[in-house]
Amino acid sequence: MRKFIALLCTALLLSACQTSKPVATDYNPDVDFGSFRQYAWKDDSSGADKEFDPLLAQRVRDAVTDGLAARQFSVAEKSAGADFLVRYYIQTDEATEESKTRGGLSIGGFGSNVGMGVGMSFPIGPKVIEQRAQILIDFINNKDQKLAWRGSRKVVLKGNDPNAMTAQIRTTVDEILGEFPPR
């Protein structure tokens, strides 16, 4: 029995260590990503949904610019000379969640081998409103104007501190760009 419990605990620990990949990517396998050196912004189709804060959209653009520079990609002087075009999208929504803390009340009784119980549970604390965003970054092959690579990640935006928000956006964008080029 002890061996079974030890095996069960080991299996639970191993399953807790597994994480799903937070970044989703897709790409065209026919594209030679090794030829991508210079980029230009595809501004006409970049941005955020209408209800999104333009300051956060600028944070995403700045994070993409810095992330590409850190990966040795440079901005082309003219978009015609770029190897690939970059665009981004941000889509947001809000979710209201009840407090995870719950209280309970139960009443029970038994007698003559008959059991009976009544119980109820209720949330303790205020409802929490989370602002969530999905950030998509596209790389478009400038030769044929077709999508070559897309990376995306969903993130819960926390707090109202601009510096903390910038750090969170930069981390998310860096995770997305970390999947480029595809392996």
Side-chain angles (χ1 to χ4, degrees):
M1 182 68 162
R2 288 184 183 178
K3 288 183 181 180
F4 175 73
I5 291 174
L7 183 63
L8 181 63
C9 288
T10 303
L12 287 173
L13 282 173
L14 288 175
S15 67
C17 292
Q18 295 178 354
T19 58
S20 62
K21 193 174 184 181
V23 175
T25 61
D26 196 6
Y27 64 95
N28 180 348
D30 297 330
V31 174
D32 176 19
F33 293 104
S35 67
F36 284 13
R37 301 274 184 254
Q38 293 187 326
Y39 72 93
W41 285 98
K42 190 164 177 71
D43 286 325
D44 60 336
S45 58
S46 285
D49 62 7
K50 293 176 183 164
E51 297 178 14
F52 196 70
D53 181 358
L55 293 173
L56 288 175
Q58 186 61 47
R59 286 182 181 107
V60 170
R61 184 180 174 119
D62 293 345
V64 171
T65 300
D66 293 346
L68 289 173
R71 288 166 176 80
Q72 308 302 314
F73 295 102
S74 60
V75 179
E77 289 184 27
K78 296 182 180 180
S79 61
D83 302 312
F84 65 105
L85 303 174
V86 178
R87 70 178 171 201
Y88 67 94
Y89 301 106
I90 306 167
Q91 184 176 6
T92 63
D93 66 343
E94 289 183 350
T96 303
E97 293 187 16
E98 288 187 2
S99 173
K100 304 265 189 247
T101 308
R102 299 193 72 79
L105 174 66
S106 63
I107 315 171
F110 67 93
S112 302
N113 295 328
V114 175
M116 181 177 98
V118 176
M120 73 178 195
S121 174
F122 49 89
I124 298 175
K127 292 182 179 182
V128 177
I129 298 175
E130 290 184 338
Q131 184 180 12
R132 301 179 298 193
Q134 180 172 13
I135 299 173
L136 288 95
I137 301 171
D138 291 342
F139 294 163
I140 299 160
N141 192 340
N142 202 16
K143 293 177 185 173
D144 59 9
Q145 297 294 307
K146 291 184 180 178
L147 183 63
W149 181 86
R150 170 174 279 179
S152 69
R153 185 173 193 292
K154 293 181 181 179
V155 63
V156 176
L157 301 173
K158 298 177 183 173
N160 292 326
D161 178 24
N163 294 325
M165 187 86 61
T166 298
Q168 188 178 12
I169 294 293
R170 286 186 176 278
T171 299
T172 301
V173 168
D174 193 52
E175 289 172 355
I176 295 169
L177 294 178
E179 297 298 318
F180 183 81
R183 295 161 190 85

